[in-house]
Every structure is written in C-alpha cells, then in structure tokens.
Amino acid sequence: MSVLSAPYMHDEAAAFEHVEAMLWADGPVCPHCGVVDSAYKLVGVRTKASKKNPEGKERHGLWKCRECRKQFTVRKGTIFEESHLPLHLWLQAIHLMVSSKKGISSHQLHRVLGITYKSAWFLTHRIRECMRDGALAGFGGNGGIVEVDETFIGKEPGVTKAKNARGASHKMKMLTLVDRTTKRAKSIVVDDLKKSTLIPILQENIAREAYVMTDEARQYQGIGAGKAFEAHGWTNHSAGEYVNLEDREMHTNTVEGFYSIFKRGMKGVYQHCGKQHLHRYAAEFDFRYNNRVANGIEDTERSNIALRSVVGKRLTYQC
C-alpha cells in the first residue's frame, strides 16, 4: 500500500492520533504548564457556525489539562501552530519534501495539495525550519576524515558583477563539511571565503584530531600538522588532480557529490533563492543527505524523524 494511502494522510482524526503518538510518547504534554499525562480528551467540540459550515467544524485532537484547566492540541508549540491547514495535509507535505531527493517546489505542492501558493510557500519554509537543528557538527572524532569545500550559487545581494570579471565574487557562498565515517554533511552560508572567516567555523565543527581534506584553495593552506587540525591533505583541482595517486583516500569527491545534488535541486527545482532563505534550503539538503538510504533510513522513517523535530520550531511570516 502506498504511504500516501495511510489513514493519517487523509483523515484528520487519524492525523492527530499519529502526531500525538510521535510527540507524546509518555502521554499528552500541556504546553501551558508543562504537566505530562494529566489531561483528558474533549469529544464533540465544534467551532462556531459559519455560512460555509452552518453546524461548525469538529475540533479534532482537543485536550484539557487537569492542572491548569486550559485547552490545547498537539499543534501548540510546533510548526503547525496557528495554521489553518488540516493536519493531514501537513503530513502529506512533509512526506513529499523528505522523499524528493532534489526537493519539491512550492508551486508543485500548491497544485498537489490543492492549497494556495502563498500557503504552500510558507508551509515549505516551516518544514525546512524543522529540518534545521543548528547544532555544531562534531565531525572527525578519533582522527576521522572530513572533506571541506565551498560552492557558489545565485547572486549576492547588493553586489554587481563587473564587466568582463571572472570568478564568483558576485555570487552567494556556502561552505559544506562531510564526515566520511558518519556519512553526514553540514552546510553553512558564509559572507566571504577569507581564512579568518572559514577556519573558526571549521574549528567549531571539526575535532582537532581530524584528517581534513580540501582542494588547493589558499585559505586552507597551513591548517594541518597540529596547527588547526592533526592532518591536512589536498588535491590540486586546477591541475586536473581529483584523487591523489599516492594516497587514494585523499580527495573531496564525496562533498562534490553532495553539491551535485544540491545544485540540481536549487537550479532545476527551486530556480531562485534569496540569501535570507538560503540557510533553510541548505538545511533541507543536509537533512535528506544525513537521513538517506545509505545511512539505513527509508522515506517513512525520514518523515517520522522530521515530524519528531517540529516542536519549538515556530516560524512566522516576518521570518
């Protein structure tokens, strides 16, 4: 049976039960007073009557706390809060986003889900926010290999490309680290590629004992031999060297593979991204990469991982 045929993807009551089972393993949690498993379900409560719904709509998943006597649903304090979209449509959107290797556009979601484009755009950004953890990577423990590279995309706000200029100084810049041992990636949007900007970021996210792999870029030179990291190896891409012939493990092909998926998604699916949103798109591709089949995670489990991360990730239109 198709995952999208599951009851919680179509029935609102089943959708609330599914989300509650994911987020409230120890019983309902009151978002007002924080008491766990001290609430009872309110059945048969309906919204106010309207022209569209003369008898009102049934309020699914409504609970009342025995301690503070306040009502709440599992939506409170999550990316679903204050959203008028049915919860089962949120679950469909989450599954479609996490199972599409190169992403799915807001225009596509607005057509598939039957909602407005504005709602689909906001919905996708809320879901990306729950994919973003913000934690330091902690890559390269026990001397593991960490690949580091940067890429350019779009256009840097306020920067005009000079006539006949070469290079990518006018483009937005993103730094990505990939741990070969854990098969995980972390991407950071940066303002420039100066050594003074990049090295502190690497030191925050990579263990000192790590073996760091880069290309021949000047900003990475002199970071090995115990200075910033235990060891540093690089290949000379400008000379056509992509794998060191003496040490076949010395390359950045893994992070280049990550970028190939990222670029295909950003150019082929999303097509345009402002810098104020680039960190969320980067988090989306990091999330799918870190929770891919190669790491033993299938589409359904990937959806559940995203769903467990919705708490405390509220996003407003002003963001």
Side-chain angles (χ1 to χ4, degrees):
M1 184 180 69
S2 167
V3 175
L4 294 174
S5 297
Y8 61 82
M9 292 289 191
H10 298 276
D11 180 71
E12 193 69 356
F16 270 94
E17 289 176 4
H18 178 71
V19 176
E20 289 169 0
M22 286 290 173
L23 303 186
W24 293 343
D26 300 319
V29 181
C30 177
H32 304 289
C33 64
V35 173
V36 179
D37 201 20
S38 182
Y40 56 92
K41 205 164 208 175
L42 298 177
V43 182
V45 180
R46 308 185 75 86
T47 61
K48 290 182 179 180
S50 63
K51 288 184 179 179
K52 188 176 181 180
N53 299 286
E55 297 181 359
K57 292 176 63 178
E58 183 178 357
R59 295 192 62 186
H60 296 284
L62 186 63
W63 296 76
K64 187 168 184 176
C65 180
R66 289 189 175 90
E67 302 298 322
C68 66
R69 309 302 297 169
K70 292 183 179 179
Q71 297 179 7
F72 61 92
T73 72
V74 73
R75 284 177 179 258
K76 189 73 174 177
T78 70
I79 64 170
F80 311 129
E81 186 174 351
E82 298 298 329
S83 168
H84 296 288
L85 288 179
L87 192 58
H88 69 271
L89 290 185
W90 275 98
L91 299 182
Q92 289 182 34
I94 289 173
H95 183 80
L96 290 170
M97 284 190 70
V98 303
S99 60
S100 303
K101 188 172 184 178
K102 300 175 186 67
I104 181 169
S105 70
S106 298
H107 270 296
Q108 182 70 26
L109 275 180
H110 115 78
R111 292 192 298 270
V112 171
L113 301 181
I115 59 179
T116 65
Y117 170 68
K118 183 178 180 181
S119 295
W121 184 90
F122 189 41
L123 173 147
T124 55
H125 274 296
R126 282 193 176 192
I127 295 173
R128 289 186 189 103
E129 186 67 15
C130 83
M131 294 179 181
R132 190 166 69 98
D133 59 16
L136 297 178
F139 288 169
N142 299 318
I145 296 174
V146 180
E147 296 181 26
V148 179
D149 200 6
E150 66 283 334
T151 194
F152 305 91
I153 191 165
K155 182 181 178 298
E156 188 76 35
V159 178
T160 303
K161 184 179 181 181
K163 189 176 181 180
N164 299 324
R166 301 180 66 185
S169 60
H170 65 292
K171 290 180 173 288
M172 296 183 289
K173 304 153 190 75
M174 192 174 84
L175 177 73
T176 298
L177 327 173
V178 175
D179 189 319
R180 281 195 206 163
T181 304
T182 62
K183 301 179 182 178
R184 295 178 63 83
K186 181 177 177 63
S187 302
I188 304 107
V189 178
V190 294
D191 292 325
D192 58 67
L193 299 179
K194 296 177 183 177
K195 192 167 188 174
S196 58
T197 300
L198 300 187
I199 302 308
I201 295 175
L202 299 187
Q203 290 177 312
E204 285 182 336
N205 290 279
I206 302 176
R208 185 176 179 83
E209 66 268 22
Y211 189 0
V212 177
M213 302 283 186
T214 70
D215 56 21
E216 75 281 8
R218 207 178 308 173
Q219 59 266 28
Y220 300 122
Q221 298 304 311
I223 64 172
K227 294 180 181 178
F229 302 102
E230 186 64 28
H232 173 223
W234 70 91
T235 50
N236 192 349
H237 288 180
S238 60
E241 180 190 47
Y242 293 91
V243 178
N244 187 294
L245 297 180
E246 296 180 1
D247 182 359
R248 296 285 181 170
E249 286 196 332
M250 194 179 296
H251 61 79
T252 58
N253 293 340
T254 315
V255 67
E256 295 286 357
F258 172 88
Y259 280 146
S260 71
I261 298 170
F262 176 76
K263 287 289 186 72
R264 283 177 174 86
M266 295 303 293
K267 293 181 178 180
V269 177
Y270 297 127
Q271 300 181 16
H272 172 77
C273 171
K275 189 172 182 179
Q276 73 273 27
H277 300 304
L278 182 57
H279 64 291
R280 293 196 185 97
Y281 285 94
E284 176 188 351
F285 283 88
D286 284 351
F287 177 86
R288 281 196 297 264
Y289 186 85
N290 296 340
N291 297 285
R292 64 195 190 280
V293 174
N295 285 347
I297 301 172
E298 299 288 347
D299 290 348
T300 302
E301 179 56 26
R302 195 179 309 120
S303 295
N304 292 338
I305 292 171
L307 184 56
R308 294 187 195 104
S309 303
V310 301
V311 179
K313 302 283 184 70
R314 179 79 190 280
L315 192 65
T316 63
Y317 276 104
Q318 287 72 29
C319 296

